[in-house]
Amino acid sequence: MRLLTEAEYRATMEPEPIQIGPEDQPPFDFWPYFDEVPEEDLEGHDFSEGSVTYAWHMPRSNRQHVLVNCETPNVFLVLVLDLTTESVLGHYLLDIYGVE
Protein backbone atom coordinates (compact mmCIF):
# COMPACT_ATOMS: atom_id res chain seq x y z
CA MET A 1 0.00 0.00 0.00
CA ARG A 2 1.66 3.18 -1.15
CA LEU A 3 0.60 6.57 0.16
CA LEU A 4 1.44 9.05 -2.59
CA THR A 5 2.90 12.45 -1.81
CA GLU A 6 1.09 15.47 -3.20
CA ALA A 7 3.76 15.80 -5.91
CA GLU A 8 3.44 12.12 -6.87
CA TYR A 9 -0.36 12.40 -6.97
CA ARG A 10 -0.29 15.55 -9.10
CA ALA A 11 2.16 13.86 -11.48
CA THR A 12 -0.53 11.26 -12.28
CA MET A 13 -3.01 13.94 -13.37
CA GLU A 14 -3.53 15.06 -16.95
CA PRO A 15 -4.89 18.33 -18.33
CA GLU A 16 -7.98 16.80 -19.97
CA PRO A 17 -9.21 13.82 -17.93
CA ILE A 18 -12.37 12.05 -19.02
CA GLN A 19 -15.05 11.55 -16.39
CA ILE A 20 -16.17 7.95 -15.98
CA GLY A 21 -19.94 7.54 -15.72
CA PRO A 22 -21.60 5.94 -12.70
CA GLU A 23 -22.91 3.16 -14.93
CA ASP A 24 -19.40 2.15 -16.05
CA GLN A 25 -17.90 -0.93 -14.45
CA PRO A 26 -14.52 -0.73 -12.67
CA PRO A 27 -11.64 -1.85 -14.92
CA PHE A 28 -10.56 -4.45 -12.31
CA ASP A 29 -11.21 -5.30 -8.66
CA PHE A 30 -9.31 -2.67 -6.67
CA TRP A 31 -11.26 -3.23 -3.42
CA PRO A 32 -8.71 -5.68 -1.93
CA TYR A 33 -6.14 -2.85 -2.11
CA PHE A 34 -8.63 -0.42 -0.55
CA ASP A 35 -9.29 -2.86 2.31
CA GLU A 36 -5.57 -2.95 3.13
CA VAL A 37 -4.92 0.81 3.23
CA PRO A 38 -3.36 1.53 6.65
CA GLU A 39 -5.66 3.30 9.10
CA GLU A 40 -3.10 6.07 9.68
CA ASP A 41 -3.23 6.99 5.97
CA LEU A 42 -6.95 7.85 6.40
CA GLU A 43 -6.16 10.53 9.02
CA GLY A 44 -9.27 9.68 11.06
CA HIS A 45 -11.70 9.85 8.13
CA ASP A 46 -14.32 7.16 7.54
CA PHE A 47 -14.40 5.59 4.07
CA SER A 48 -16.06 2.37 5.23
CA GLU A 49 -19.16 2.84 3.07
CA GLY A 50 -16.96 2.04 0.08
CA SER A 51 -18.92 4.11 -2.41
CA VAL A 52 -17.57 5.87 -5.47
CA THR A 53 -19.25 8.88 -7.06
CA TYR A 54 -16.37 10.14 -9.20
CA ALA A 55 -13.76 8.47 -11.36
CA TRP A 56 -11.53 10.01 -14.02
CA HIS A 57 -9.62 8.43 -16.91
CA MET A 58 -6.22 9.86 -17.83
CA PRO A 59 -6.02 8.80 -21.50
CA ARG A 60 -2.34 9.58 -22.18
CA SER A 61 -1.02 7.40 -19.36
CA ASN A 62 -3.96 4.94 -19.34
CA ARG A 63 -4.56 5.55 -15.66
CA GLN A 64 -7.72 6.06 -13.69
CA HIS A 65 -8.38 8.06 -10.52
CA VAL A 66 -11.12 6.48 -8.41
CA LEU A 67 -12.41 8.78 -5.66
CA VAL A 68 -13.80 6.79 -2.74
CA ASN A 69 -16.35 8.86 -0.81
CA CYS A 70 -15.82 9.88 2.79
CA GLU A 71 -18.28 10.78 5.55
CA THR A 72 -16.78 14.30 5.34
CA PRO A 73 -18.00 16.22 2.28
CA ASN A 74 -15.31 16.98 -0.30
CA VAL A 75 -12.78 14.55 1.18
CA PHE A 76 -11.89 11.48 -0.88
CA LEU A 77 -9.45 8.60 -0.85
CA VAL A 78 -8.11 8.59 -4.39
CA LEU A 79 -6.92 5.26 -5.73
CA VAL A 80 -4.63 5.68 -8.74
CA LEU A 81 -5.08 2.71 -11.06
CA ASP A 82 -2.71 1.64 -13.81
CA LEU A 83 -5.04 0.16 -16.42
CA THR A 84 -2.21 -1.37 -18.45
CA THR A 85 -0.96 -3.56 -15.61
CA GLU A 86 -4.32 -3.74 -13.79
CA SER A 87 -2.69 -2.64 -10.56
CA VAL A 88 -3.08 0.15 -8.02
CA LEU A 89 -0.14 2.56 -8.13
CA GLY A 90 -1.03 4.11 -4.79
CA HIS A 91 -3.52 6.18 -2.86
CA TYR A 92 -3.87 9.81 -1.82
CA LEU A 93 -6.09 11.56 0.72
CA LEU A 94 -7.71 14.43 -1.20
CA ASP A 95 -9.41 17.32 0.56
CA ILE A 96 -10.96 19.41 -2.22
CA TYR A 97 -10.95 22.56 -0.10
CA GLY A 98 -7.42 21.87 1.11
CA VAL A 99 -6.03 21.83 -2.45
CA GLU A 100 -4.27 24.98 -3.57
Side-chain angles (χ1 to χ4, degrees), residues 60-97:
R60 293 181 188 159
S61 61
N62 201 29
R63 292 183 179 147
Q64 196 174 100
H65 285 192
V66 175
L67 283 67
V68 181
N69 299 337
C70 179
E71 91 294 347
T72 305
N74 301 305
V75 173
F76 302 91
L77 183 65
V78 181
L79 303 180
V80 180
L81 312 182
D82 182 327
L83 303 182
T84 302
T85 62
E86 293 191 354
S87 63
V88 181
L89 296 175
H91 57 278
Y92 181 76
L93 186 63
L94 175 64
D95 179 347
I96 298 294
Y97 293 121

Side-chain angles (χ1 to χ4, degrees), residues 4-22:
L4 302 172
T5 66
E6 182 177 357
E8 290 171 329
Y9 168 68
R10 287 182 181 268
T12 68
M13 299 175 83
E14 293 180 9
E16 296 180 17
I18 300 166
Q19 187 168 12
I20 307 294

Side-chain angles (χ1 to χ4, degrees), residues 16-51:
E16 296 180 17
I18 300 166
Q19 187 168 12
I20 307 294
E23 69 285 345
D24 293 326
Q25 293 297 313
F28 60 90
D29 185 13
F30 53 79
W31 292 111
Y33 178 98
F34 171 82
D35 291 338
E36 296 297 321
V37 170
E39 198 67 34
E40 59 268 14
D41 290 359
L42 304 179
E43 297 182 10
H45 292 287
D46 180 9
F47 296 92
S48 61
E49 189 176 309
S51 66

